Structures are given as C-alpha cells and as structure tokens.
Amino acid sequence: SGLTPLQKHMKQNLGGARFRLINERLYKSDSAEAVEMMKKDPKVFQEYHDGFRHQVQSWPSNPVSHYIDELSKYPPKTVIVDLGCGEAALAKALHPKNFNVLSFDLLSDKTFVVEADICSRLPLPGSEPSSVERTEGEGQIVDIVVCALSLMSTNWLGCIREAWRILRPGGELKIAEVASRFTAVEDFAALVRDVGFKLKKKDDRNTHFTLFQFKKVARATIPEQEWSALLSRGGVLKPCEYKRR
Ligand SMILES: C[S@@+](CC[C@H](N)C(=O)[O-])C[C@H]1O[C@@H](n2cnc3c(N)ncnc32)[C@H](O)[C@@H]1O
C-alpha cells in the first residue's frame, strides 16, 4: 500500500484506538444512541468491524464458526435470524447450503444485511400475549434466533424480547457472549428466563465466550412497570473491554 513499516505500525495503532473507543461507546449507550451514532457517520461501522475482525483473529475459535458448523446440521429451509450479524458471515456461509438466513444490524451492506435496531421493533411478524393468560403469541415464521456477541446496547434485553416475539412456539434462541462480561452467569440466564425462555444448554468450555441455548416457552403479557424492572437488571452483562495489543 506504499506505506513504510513504521507508517503501517502507526496506522494499525490508530485503528486499534478507534476500535476500542467505538466499542466502549456501543457498550455504554442504549440502542437509540447507537443508531444515531451510525447515522451520523457510517464510517464508524467499518472502523468498528475492521478492529473487531483483527481482535477475533487472536482467538482460538469464534462463535460464528461454531454456529456455522452447528446450524449446517439442521434441515435445509430452516429459518434463522441473525441479530447483530456484523458482516453477515453466518448468512454468507449458510445461504449457499439452502438455509434461509435473515441478517440484521445497525447498517446494511445492501446485500445480506437488513438495517434495524435489534433491541427495538424488528420488521418481522409475531405477536405478544395480551393478557395474563400464558401463550406463545401468533404469526411467527422464525425457527432459530442467533445473537453472537451482539447484546451490546444497555437495553439489550429488548433484543431478547424481540427474539421471543418473532420465534415460533418452541423456537430456539442461541446466545454467545464474551466470558468476561458476566457478573454471574446464573443471573444472566434468570433474566432471559423471565422474558419467556427456558435454558436448555450452557457451554463455558471456551476460554473467550460462553454459549447458551434457550427454548421459547409460553408467558403472560409483560406490564409496563414489570418491563422497567426487568430492564433495570441489564447490568448482569458488563461492557466488554478489549485490551491494547
Ligand atoms: C461484536 S459484533 C459481532 C458480529 C457478529 N455477530 C459476529 O459474531 O461476528 C456485534 C454486532 O452487533 C451489532 N449491534 C449491537 N447493538 C445493536 C443494535 N442495537 N441493533 C443492531 N445491531 C446491533 C453491532 O453493530 C455489531 O455489528
């Protein structure tokens, strides 16, 4: 690229600093602020992902490769929703294998990614219960929701609630999060459970991230006040701080 080794090194350091700054802002903002941040300067998204890709390369393995292997074994035509898909690696790998993958993130690449705030209203069908009677809602078409390291906004529980709304009865929610983010894994699982999920599997064998598999179960409507109380427990996931490398 015409740069001397020293210039290359300096460019990399600057990129790393930008990445850590954007990363910190994403973890400390609610999703409306994150949307605003990307709208103001779409370059931010690219800068973040250049840094994130670099970061992931130093890990022994990453959640997306794990999910590509795991989901490849599902029946073709399974409808998978990838919330906070980043560069849509999951869709790019599974689309050729005849899976239906719908990918959402803050910014669209105009090919694989649909632009949406995953913690707010997703443009997909599905209803919530409207009374104290326990149901699973109606109208859903989604079999599996994947959240791979994407519960970044302070109101991330909104993403779990949207996952519940769009999943078919009994549908699966797969979550991967950075291991160091948990105050207590049980508190995290309990909070997700309170939105209408049952924990089926937890895998913390990986040194860098923890994997969860939840199943959607029936629940009653969530009154406004109860929702505020649930949201206020969001601190069970701490911001993820990447070290300077
Ligand atoms: C750490 S990256 C992981 C990307 C991808 N899932 C992977 O594992 O390679 C997290 C992604 O979640 C997205 N994200 C975080 N909060 C979001 C929100 N409120 N709405 C949409 N996307 C969000 C970020 O833009 C980012 O692309």
mmCIF file of all heavy atoms in Angstrom, residues 38 42 56 65 88 117 122 155 188 195 210 217-218 224:
data_model
loop_
_atom_site.group_PDB
_atom_site.id
_atom_site.type_symbol
_atom_site.label_atom_id
_atom_site.label_comp_id
_atom_site.label_asym_id
_atom_site.label_seq_id
_atom_site.Cartn_x
_atom_site.Cartn_y
_atom_site.Cartn_z
ATOM 1 N N MET A 38 -24.342 5.663 14.180
ATOM 2 C CA MET A 38 -24.062 5.110 12.850
ATOM 3 C C MET A 38 -24.623 6.014 11.753
ATOM 4 O O MET A 38 -24.059 6.114 10.674
ATOM 5 C CB MET A 38 -24.676 3.715 12.704
ATOM 6 C CG MET A 38 -24.114 2.694 13.658
ATOM 7 S SD MET A 38 -22.318 2.484 13.470
ATOM 8 C CE MET A 38 -21.951 1.575 14.962
ATOM 9 N N PRO A 42 -21.414 6.858 8.969
ATOM 10 C CA PRO A 42 -21.418 5.431 8.612
ATOM 11 C C PRO A 42 -20.016 4.804 8.609
ATOM 12 O O PRO A 42 -19.893 3.587 8.678
ATOM 13 C CB PRO A 42 -22.027 5.419 7.204
ATOM 14 C CG PRO A 42 -22.758 6.715 7.076
ATOM 15 C CD PRO A 42 -22.013 7.695 7.926
ATOM 16 N N VAL A 56 -10.764 -10.767 16.718
ATOM 17 C CA VAL A 56 -11.232 -12.157 16.656
ATOM 18 C C VAL A 56 -10.139 -13.093 16.144
ATOM 19 O O VAL A 56 -10.063 -14.253 16.549
ATOM 20 C CB VAL A 56 -12.498 -12.241 15.763
ATOM 21 C CG1 VAL A 56 -12.836 -13.677 15.410
ATOM 22 C CG2 VAL A 56 -13.676 -11.586 16.470
ATOM 23 N N SER A 65 -18.053 -19.324 13.602
ATOM 24 C CA SER A 65 -17.650 -20.612 13.004
ATOM 25 C C SER A 65 -18.364 -21.753 13.712
ATOM 26 O O SER A 65 -18.782 -22.727 13.086
ATOM 27 C CB SER A 65 -16.148 -20.857 13.106
ATOM 28 O OG SER A 65 -15.439 -19.676 13.089
ATOM 29 N N ALA A 88 -22.253 -10.413 8.432
ATOM 30 C CA ALA A 88 -23.158 -11.473 7.945
ATOM 31 C C ALA A 88 -22.438 -12.758 7.532
ATOM 32 O O ALA A 88 -22.830 -13.422 6.568
ATOM 33 C CB ALA A 88 -24.028 -10.950 6.797
ATOM 34 N N ASP A 117 -32.661 -1.720 14.386
ATOM 35 C CA ASP A 117 -32.238 -1.730 15.785
ATOM 36 C C ASP A 117 -32.804 -3.013 16.386
ATOM 37 O O ASP A 117 -34.014 -3.149 16.539
ATOM 38 C CB ASP A 117 -32.799 -0.487 16.487
ATOM 39 C CG ASP A 117 -32.552 -0.511 17.991
ATOM 40 O OD1 ASP A 117 -31.944 -1.479 18.488
ATOM 41 O OD2 ASP A 117 -32.981 0.448 18.653
ATOM 42 N N LEU A 122 -38.327 -5.180 15.359
ATOM 43 C CA LEU A 122 -37.801 -5.838 14.163
ATOM 44 C C LEU A 122 -38.905 -5.961 13.118
ATOM 45 O O LEU A 122 -40.047 -6.265 13.467
ATOM 46 C CB LEU A 122 -37.292 -7.240 14.505
ATOM 47 C CG LEU A 122 -35.992 -7.328 15.306
ATOM 48 C CD1 LEU A 122 -35.802 -8.740 15.846
ATOM 49 C CD2 LEU A 122 -34.803 -6.925 14.443
ATOM 50 N N ASN A 155 -29.835 -1.462 26.646
ATOM 51 C CA ASN A 155 -31.180 -2.051 26.656
ATOM 52 C C ASN A 155 -31.230 -3.366 25.874
ATOM 53 O O ASN A 155 -32.203 -3.662 25.181
ATOM 54 C CB ASN A 155 -32.204 -1.057 26.092
ATOM 55 C CG ASN A 155 -31.862 -0.583 24.687
ATOM 56 O OD1 ASN A 155 -30.688 -0.461 24.341
ATOM 57 N ND2 ASN A 155 -32.862 -0.322 23.862
ATOM 58 N N PHE A 188 -27.702 -13.842 34.562
ATOM 59 C CA PHE A 188 -27.990 -13.593 33.150
ATOM 60 C C PHE A 188 -29.078 -14.558 32.668
ATOM 61 O O PHE A 188 -30.087 -14.147 32.093
ATOM 62 C CB PHE A 188 -26.714 -13.756 32.319
ATOM 63 C CG PHE A 188 -26.951 -13.742 30.831
ATOM 64 C CD1 PHE A 188 -27.190 -12.549 30.162
ATOM 65 C CD2 PHE A 188 -26.949 -14.929 30.103
ATOM 66 C CE1 PHE A 188 -27.427 -12.541 28.787
ATOM 67 C CE2 PHE A 188 -27.183 -14.925 28.732
ATOM 68 C CZ PHE A 188 -27.421 -13.727 28.072
ATOM 69 N N VAL A 195 -38.096 -13.414 30.515
ATOM 70 C CA VAL A 195 -38.732 -12.849 29.322
ATOM 71 C C VAL A 195 -39.502 -13.946 28.564
ATOM 72 O O VAL A 195 -40.192 -13.666 27.585
ATOM 73 C CB VAL A 195 -37.678 -12.146 28.430
ATOM 74 C CG1 VAL A 195 -38.290 -11.518 27.195
ATOM 75 C CG2 VAL A 195 -36.947 -11.052 29.215
ATOM 76 N N THR A 210 -19.017 -17.690 26.160
ATOM 77 C CA THR A 210 -19.932 -18.673 26.727
ATOM 78 C C THR A 210 -21.130 -18.808 25.795
ATOM 79 O O THR A 210 -21.612 -17.810 25.263
ATOM 80 C CB THR A 210 -20.395 -18.208 28.127
ATOM 81 O OG1 THR A 210 -19.234 -17.935 28.915
ATOM 82 C CG2 THR A 210 -21.237 -19.263 28.819
ATOM 83 N N VAL A 217 -40.789 -20.438 25.631
ATOM 84 C CA VAL A 217 -41.930 -21.049 26.329
ATOM 85 C C VAL A 217 -43.040 -20.000 26.485
ATOM 86 O O VAL A 217 -42.795 -18.799 26.342
ATOM 87 C CB VAL A 217 -41.535 -21.601 27.725
ATOM 88 C CG1 VAL A 217 -40.556 -22.759 27.596
ATOM 89 C CG2 VAL A 217 -40.941 -20.505 28.607
ATOM 90 N N ALA A 218 -44.253 -20.480 26.769
ATOM 91 C CA ALA A 218 -45.394 -19.577 26.908
ATOM 92 C C ALA A 218 -45.191 -18.635 28.088
ATOM 93 O O ALA A 218 -44.550 -18.988 29.074
ATOM 94 C CB ALA A 218 -46.672 -20.392 27.095
ATOM 95 N N GLU A 224 -46.038 -2.733 31.717
ATOM 96 C CA GLU A 224 -45.018 -1.688 31.563
ATOM 97 C C GLU A 224 -44.060 -1.612 32.763
ATOM 98 O O GLU A 224 -42.843 -1.565 32.610
ATOM 99 C CB GLU A 224 -45.725 -0.340 31.367
ATOM 100 C CG GLU A 224 -44.879 0.721 30.683
ATOM 101 C CD GLU A 224 -44.275 0.259 29.358
ATOM 102 O OE1 GLU A 224 -45.018 -0.239 28.479
ATOM 103 O OE2 GLU A 224 -43.039 0.373 29.226
#
